[in-house]
Amino acid sequence: MIRVLLVDDQPLNSFIDLARIKYDIEIHQCYNLETAKKEFDKKDYKAVILDCYCSKDESNEEHIDFLKEAICNINDRLPWYILSGGTAKGNFPLIIKLLPSKGEQPWKQWDPENEKGYYSKTGGDVELNTLLRRIVELDSERNEILTHYERYISIIERRCAEHSKDIIDNLIWILKPIYYNRLDEVDDANMGLRIRTCLEEFLNSCIKTGTMPPHNSDEVPNVTSDKIKCFLGKEYETYSNEQKIKKTVESINVRTKIVPSFIHGIFTEMREIGNHFAGHSKKNVESSVQKRARYCGDYWKNQLVSCCFNFFDLLLWYDSKFDELKNNAEQCRI
């Protein structure tokens, strides 16, 4: 059964019954945003359906910026669909401009055939059935990708256990437009954010499993670039009592013997591409990503594809060296 979260201040019992009986979709309804916030992080929700105007709290007052705040709280963790009672039609262009996304049609990443961006409660069975069918198709796409890339998903589940959900969810988001040839429809910022998150959560899992020096919590590097340096056995920065201090990984030769240079290249590429497309690159400085795009013209999104599959190589290497990396980390003194 597919679990979906619905946020609407009006009861939609017939819609919920239709979803359960015809599509095997279990819909959990929240009547305001405050209640829904507690549900957004639940592991088993596959999508969120939102009203255009809804109450933020138990006051039952509808707010024009409800949708913006709701999507900010979802923060691209779940695909969202808009189900409106009719008020969306005239105001939808304005509503979309308020959304925290750079793309003009941000929903197209998971709902590519939807031109208008919302579904109508008053549009009859066709509208409601189309919405539910597309959620089912979305889940089937996820399952197909999980099956097709099972080898890499298995590594993430085994080697990055506590961080596996975040890595897999973000990786699937990256893989869908690649696998289904929909790269032209993706939002660059969202893709960049997903790549950054995969990298950050992978490095966090290395700290957790002990494959990265050090083990003491007060010596853990603070930012992604310093986590990369620590993994590679290089000098990095951290904070102690609010003071920035430099940390050196001793026994560096022990570390560099086990971590080949191509791993450094994969880390660097993921960080640079993730930062650039998520809007975190340095201003007035042409990055390597921009230089490459300048020469590649319309094919600049190849960088996203290569970044994804280089991450797969990183996973294969990490899996084969996991025990050795763990033993090696214990020999590195900070």
Side-chain angles (χ1 to χ4, degrees):
M1 178 171 279
I2 302 169
R3 296 201 71 216
V4 172
L5 183 64
L6 168 67
V7 190
D8 196 308
D9 52 7
Q10 300 296 321
L12 299 177
N13 295 332
S14 60
F15 175 62
I16 293 172
D17 288 342
L18 172 68
R20 177 175 48 82
I21 295 168
K22 189 171 180 179
Y23 295 96
D24 199 29
I25 296 175
E26 179 185 328
I27 294 181
H28 175 75
Q29 181 169 4
C30 294
Y31 292 92
N32 59 67
L33 183 57
E34 185 177 327
T35 305
K37 285 178 182 179
K38 301 172 184 177
E39 296 289 325
F40 284 147
D41 284 328
K42 292 288 180 69
K43 292 182 178 180
D44 49 0
Y45 286 120
K46 302 301 182 186
V48 178
I49 300 173
L50 301 164
D51 193 8
C52 242
Y53 301 105
C54 188
S55 176
K56 292 184 179 181
D57 49 41
E58 294 183 359
S59 67
N60 294 323
E61 295 180 9
E62 293 185 344
H63 293 266
I64 191 170
D65 61 341
F66 157 79
L67 200 58
K68 175 183 177 181
E69 189 170 330
I71 293 173
C72 280
N73 276 275
I74 298 169
N75 196 25
D76 294 325
R77 287 168 291 184
L78 293 169
W80 46 265
Y81 298 81
I82 299 170
L83 182 60
S84 169
T87 53
K89 186 174 182 180
N91 298 331
F92 199 69
L94 172 62
I95 293 169
I96 289 300
K97 287 181 180 179
L98 293 175
L99 299 185
S101 176
K102 293 183 179 180
E104 292 183 1
Q105 297 177 312
W107 64 87
K108 282 223 166 185
Q109 295 172 77
W110 55 84
D111 197 5
E113 296 180 16
N114 187 346
E115 293 299 329
K116 62 183 180 180
Y118 63 91
Y119 295 90
S120 174
K121 295 177 187 175
T122 58
D125 291 342
V126 173
E127 287 276 301
L128 299 180
N129 278 283
T130 301
L131 169 57
L132 295 171
R133 189 170 59 251
R134 287 182 176 167
I135 291 176
V136 171
E137 290 169 355
L138 176 77
D139 196 61
S140 67
E141 287 183 357
R142 177 186 175 92
N143 290 335
E144 187 171 352
I145 288 173
L146 286 172
T147 301
H148 189 79
Y149 297 102
E150 182 180 7
R151 181 179 185 182
Y152 309 103
I153 299 298
S154 173
I155 293 172
I156 296 168
E157 290 173 338
R158 287 186 290 106
R159 301 306 195 188
C160 312
E162 293 189 28
H163 298 264
S164 62
K165 182 187 182 297
D166 285 334
I167 297 173
I168 291 170
D169 285 350
N170 282 279
L171 188 58
I172 288 174
W173 191 284
I174 297 166
L175 284 167
K176 275 184 181 178
I178 296 172
Y179 186 79
Y180 291 102
N181 195 27
R182 298 201 296 247
L183 271 173
D184 289 342
E185 297 161 359
V186 304
D187 183 277
D188 307 338
N190 282 342
M191 288 289 276
L193 179 62
R194 299 285 173 175
I195 289 170
R196 283 186 54 192
T197 303
C198 283
L199 175 61
E200 290 164 2
E201 292 303 318
F202 173 79
L203 292 168
N204 289 337
S205 77
C206 293
I207 294 172
K208 192 73 176 180
T209 58
T211 54
M212 180 200 295
H215 300 292
N216 297 331
S217 60
D218 62 336
E219 294 174 337
V220 173
N222 299 280
V223 297
T224 302
S225 59
D226 288 328
K227 288 175 184 176
I228 292 172
K229 291 175 184 176
C230 181
F231 187 93
L232 298 172
K234 298 182 177 182
E235 185 179 78
Y236 66 89
E237 292 181 340
T238 187
Y239 285 85
S240 180
N241 297 324
E242 299 184 356
Q243 296 289 321
K244 183 184 286 189
I245 56 175
K246 288 189 175 181
K247 291 283 186 177
T248 302
V249 180
E250 297 180 17
S251 307
I252 188 170
N253 291 333
V254 176
R255 194 66 179 174
T256 52
K257 284 179 181 178
I258 190 177
V259 183
S261 59
F262 82 88
I263 295 299
H264 188 186
I266 292 173
F267 280 145
T268 301
E269 181 191 45
M270 289 186 72
R271 179 173 172 268
E272 287 182 350
I273 288 178
N275 283 348
H276 174 74
F277 291 119
H280 291 272
S281 54
K282 293 180 180 179
K283 294 181 179 179
N284 304 319
V285 177
E286 188 179 40
S287 68
S288 61
V289 179
Q290 290 169 304
K291 288 178 183 177
R292 183 170 167 181
R294 183 154 48 89
Y295 289 106
C296 296
D298 293 338
Y299 297 98
W300 60 266
K301 284 190 177 179
N302 286 348
Q303 294 186 75
L304 298 173
V305 179
S306 66
C307 190
C308 176
F309 286 90
N310 280 337
F311 182 53
F312 286 166
D313 281 349
L314 169 64
L315 292 172
L316 292 171
W317 170 82
Y318 185 69
D319 186 39
S320 68
K321 295 289 184 180
F322 185 84
D323 292 334
E324 193 175 344
L325 282 165
K326 198 166 183 178
N327 293 332
N328 175 272
E330 294 172 357
Q331 300 175 44
C332 297
R333 299 189 308 279
I334 307 299

